[in-house]
Amino acid sequence: MLKTYKYRLMPTKNQIRTLNQQLEECRWLYNHLLEYRRDQWQNNQHSVGLYEGQNLLPALKVERPALASVHSQALQNVNVRLDLAFKAHFRRVRSGEEKVGYPRFKGYGRYDSLTYSQYGNGVCLDTANKVKPTVRLSKVGNVPIILHRPLKGKAKTAIINRSATGKFYICFSVECEPNILPKLPNSVGIDVGLKTFAALSDGVEIENPRFARKEEKALARAQRKFSKAEKGTPLRRKRGKVVARVHERIGWRRNNFSHQHSRKIINSYGLIAVEDIQVNRMLHKHCLARSISDVAWSMFFQYLTYKAEEAGRVMVKVNPAYTSQTCSACGHRLDITQRLSLGDRIFDCPDCHLHIDRDLNAARNIVRIGLGLQAISNQSVAAPAFTRGE
């Protein structure tokens, strides 16, 4: 299986300058290839493909010698990204369902990553000095790295990324064996919400941290100062980094929260049943869109999925329809006159008189449906035997 390891790089001032120059050369190449594709279609009705774009690179290096300061695989990946952008554009055109946007030119500072498609060719982790490990980058040098955990497995690719606050990170894609945990007989259903982040079928509740809500005053203050600065001035760029720093801090806390709780669930249960919800659809024209974005259910489900795969756990996605309107004890479904609104937090069954929190009731329904789906998937159906025709 493939696994990613992300580390913080600590380059020197000269190395930062070199990395920024390489990113700007990649941005120039992206814009140049985009212009070439556009002009070829408008003037000659000729559609430029991936390999034709790759064949242009040697001549462009002669025309612009600064491109030679970037590793060849990083330059080739620029063309790959542009080709993927055009494929996504034409896919949206054919489907006719999504908003169609033509690939756009990238402005100054809008290209933020370098991709090395082969580990060992242009990038290599050097751990000979365990106190000060480094990453050897082509045409940059040995860049110090914060190796907070060892790299396990066979590294395949590496991506250098620059954050909005100017920090540099490296992400390794590693091929490794899954770390299978001991099997557990217990199961759990997870109902996500806004009042509480998640309610588990065994009665455990995970509080909603509301990271963005806690930082909204600091964010508003930074944005006001940013908006008052004149465009194009050093002061505006400085204040823009303050706004980015607040967003970065929110993202770090949200990411850490999802990692910790997804790991606890994976270590504690053998079968995990979750709601199969489309978060993107819930954000369109919804009064709770800001709160839904803040709670980050998609990130939590994503972490649960890959950790369950690595640990050998069973994860089942359940259709969430009527899980909050059905009694988890007797199975009675409320009719249209009895339906619970978003403000109703208690489920009262008119048949068996069950009085229970609505999120806990939904979580129990989710685990019940998940166990049923898992039982059906484990059943084997024997093929009918052949019979001699009469």
Side-chain angles (χ1 to χ4, degrees):
M1 63 173 298
L2 288 178
K3 190 176 180 179
T4 58
Y5 288 82
K6 187 176 181 179
Y7 303 100
R8 170 83 182 274
L9 295 177
M10 303 298 291
T12 63
K13 289 185 178 180
N14 290 334
Q15 290 172 341
I16 291 176
R17 188 180 303 111
T18 302
L19 288 170
N20 287 331
Q21 290 173 354
Q22 290 186 357
L23 290 171
E24 281 305 301
E25 292 303 318
C26 290
R27 182 186 70 88
W28 179 91
L29 178 61
Y30 185 95
N31 291 340
H32 181 84
L33 293 176
L34 175 57
E35 181 183 14
Y36 178 79
R37 286 196 177 210
R38 183 199 62 186
D39 294 343
Q40 284 294 315
W41 177 255
Q42 290 180 352
N43 300 331
N44 306 321
Q45 296 295 301
H46 172 60
S47 179
V48 179
L50 173 65
Y51 296 106
E52 184 176 348
Q54 301 287 36
N55 293 334
L56 295 174
L57 295 180
L60 289 175
K61 284 185 178 181
V62 176
E63 175 186 341
R64 188 181 176 90
L67 288 175
S69 63
V70 187
H71 192 266
S72 59
Q73 288 192 352
L75 293 177
Q76 292 170 6
N77 182 259
V78 174
N79 184 52
V80 172
R81 294 188 194 184
L82 180 61
D83 187 69
L84 290 175
F86 271 98
K87 287 181 179 178
H89 166 71
F90 292 126
R91 173 179 54 80
R92 291 190 293 268
V93 171
R94 287 192 298 268
S95 65
E97 299 177 358
E98 302 180 36
K99 183 178 179 180
V100 179
Y102 191 81
R104 295 186 293 180
F105 292 95
K106 294 185 179 294
Y108 178 81
R110 302 291 292 182
Y111 198 95
D112 294 317
S113 62
L114 300 168
T115 301
Y116 299 86
S117 57
Q118 289 180 322
Y119 177 81
N121 187 1
V123 58
C124 183
L125 181 63
D126 186 4
T127 57
N129 187 347
K130 296 183 179 180
V131 179
K132 295 183 179 180
T134 60
V135 174
R136 292 199 300 268
L137 294 178
S138 174
K139 304 175 183 181
V140 178
N142 292 340
V143 182
I145 182 175
I146 300 178
L147 205 66
H148 60 274
R149 58 174 175 167
L151 188 67
K152 297 181 180 179
K154 183 180 180 182
K156 307 294 288 185
T157 63
I159 299 177
I160 308 292
N161 181 263
R162 179 181 62 190
S163 70
T165 56
K167 300 180 180 68
F168 283 91
Y169 298 88
I170 184 168
C171 184
F172 295 101
S173 179
V174 176
E175 187 176 2
C176 60
E177 295 296 327
N179 182 22
I180 305 298
L181 297 179
K183 292 186 178 180
L184 295 175
N186 54 346
S187 56
V188 67
I190 303 175
D191 177 71
V192 294
L194 297 178
K195 182 176 180 291
T196 57
F197 176 78
L200 277 57
S201 57
D202 57 2
V204 177
E205 287 188 352
I206 302 175
E207 293 297 325
N208 186 357
R210 295 182 172 86
F211 294 118
R213 293 289 183 181
K214 293 177 180 178
E215 294 282 355
E216 60 183 359
K217 289 185 178 179
L219 182 60
R221 183 165 54 249
Q223 288 175 333
R224 280 196 300 269
K225 292 182 179 180
F226 172 72
S227 63
K228 293 178 182 178
E230 186 178 352
K231 293 184 178 180
T233 60
L235 180 61
R236 186 176 177 88
R237 287 194 294 270
K238 181 180 178 180
R239 291 182 175 178
K241 284 190 176 182
V242 177
V243 176
R245 179 68 181 91
V246 178
H247 283 293
E248 184 181 58
R249 185 166 61 243
I250 295 171
W252 282 350
R253 292 174 178 173
R254 186 182 290 134
N255 185 64
N256 182 60
F257 175 85
S258 297
H259 270 301
Q260 288 186 353
H261 286 284
S262 60
R263 173 50 59 190
K264 289 178 183 178
I265 292 173
I266 293 299
N267 291 344
S268 303
Y269 303 97
L271 182 142
I272 301 105
V274 299
E275 299 173 280
D276 187 13
I277 56 178
Q278 302 295 329
V279 179
N280 288 336
R281 295 183 180 180
M282 301 173 68
L283 297 177
H284 296 304
K285 298 181 181 180
H286 200 287
C287 60
L288 298 175
R290 186 175 181 182
S291 298
I292 294 172
S293 298
D294 186 18
V295 78
W297 295 327
S298 296
M299 178 187 294
F300 177 68
F301 290 150
Q302 179 185 358
Y303 291 171
L304 269 180
T305 301
Y306 89 79
K307 289 178 182 178
E309 180 183 358
E310 181 186 10
R313 300 297 195 221
V314 179
M315 184 169 172
V316 182
K317 291 186 177 182
V318 172
N319 184 355
Y322 303 109
T323 53
S324 296
Q325 311 292 338
T326 303
C327 179
S328 58
C330 66
H332 173 76
R333 181 179 296 177
L334 302 180
D335 58 35
I336 194 169
T337 60
Q338 300 170 330
R339 293 288 166 83
L340 301 179
S341 64
L342 290 177
D344 298 326
R345 307 312 306 171
I346 300 298
F347 180 90
D348 286 309
C349 181
D351 277 10
C352 66
H353 305 291
L354 176 69
H355 183 80
I356 190 175
D357 181 82
R358 67 172 290 166
D359 294 336
L360 177 58
N361 178 70
R364 291 180 177 179
N365 284 326
I366 290 170
V367 70
R368 175 180 54 81
I369 299 173
L371 288 170
L373 293 175
Q374 180 63 17
I376 294 174
S377 65
N378 289 337
Q379 290 180 357
S380 60
V381 181
F386 288 104
T387 58
R388 186 183 298 275
E390 298 182 1

